[in-house]
């Protein structure tokens, strides 16, 4: 797969994961990194060098919003899903269902 297509596939997959996690609650970048790795049993990991540009892109598109909050550990940047992000996530899930249906439905017969 050419590099451009590989990067686009990574971006789309990672964006879907991040938006799904933010649907549950606001999270820091560190929390997102940790949860992606844990929930996929370490099968999928996003490096910091790719997560933050992804988050900045999602913020520029209006899918997420960030703000700094004071916690017991200090000040941290949290990311929140916006209304636009909910729409994007819904659309991505519908596209996934459409793609998955022909792949997962029925047996494949070869002759």
């Amino acid at each position: 797969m050419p590099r451009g297509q590989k990067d686009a596939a990574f971006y789309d997959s990672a964006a879907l994961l991040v938006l799904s996690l933010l649907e549950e609650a606001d999270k820091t970048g560190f929390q997102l990194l940790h949860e992606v790795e844990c929930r996929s049993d370490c099968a999928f990991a996003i490096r910091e060098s790719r997560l933050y540009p992804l988050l900045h892109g999602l913020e520029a598109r209006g899918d997420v919003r960030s703000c700094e909050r004071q916690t017991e550990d200090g000040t941290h940047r949290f990311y929140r899903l916006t209304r636009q992000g909910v729409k994007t996530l819904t659309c991505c899930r519908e596209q996934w269902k459409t793609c998955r249906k022909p792949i997962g439905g029925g047996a494949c017969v070869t002759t």
Side-chain angles (χ1 to χ4, degrees), residues 68-111:
E68 289 188 354
R69 291 190 199 154
Q70 190 67 33
T71 67
E72 56 195 38
D73 298 341
T75 303
H76 297 281
R77 180 163 298 278
F78 282 80
Y79 296 88
R80 163 181 283 169
L81 191 63
T82 63
R83 285 188 186 141
Q84 176 60 42
V86 171
K87 290 176 186 176
T88 299
L89 182 56
T90 301
C91 182
C92 288
R93 285 180 172 152
E94 288 303 315
Q95 287 176 347
W96 172 247
K97 285 179 192 174
T98 302
C99 291
R100 190 180 76 182
K101 201 178 259 185
I103 295 169
C108 178
V109 178
T110 59
T111 55

Side-chain angles (χ1 to χ4, degrees), residues 41-82:
D41 289 328
C42 298
F44 193 87
I46 304 174
R47 293 186 310 262
E48 280 184 66
S49 62
R50 298 205 64 187
L51 174 67
Y52 290 103
L54 171 70
L55 286 168
H56 294 201
L58 291 171
E59 193 166 17
R61 281 188 355 198
D63 291 331
V64 300
R65 184 174 300 135
S66 68
C67 65
E68 289 188 354
R69 291 190 199 154
Q70 190 67 33
T71 67
E72 56 195 38
D73 298 341
T75 303
H76 297 281
R77 180 163 298 278
F78 282 80
Y79 296 88
R80 163 181 283 169
L81 191 63
T82 63

Side-chain angles (χ1 to χ4, degrees), residues 14-35:
L16 180 57
L17 281 169
V18 166
L19 294 174
S20 296
L21 291 171
L22 292 176
E23 183 179 38
E24 299 169 1
D26 299 356
K27 298 183 186 329
T28 65
F30 178 78
Q31 288 171 320
L32 289 167
L33 289 170
H34 180 72
E35 285 193 33

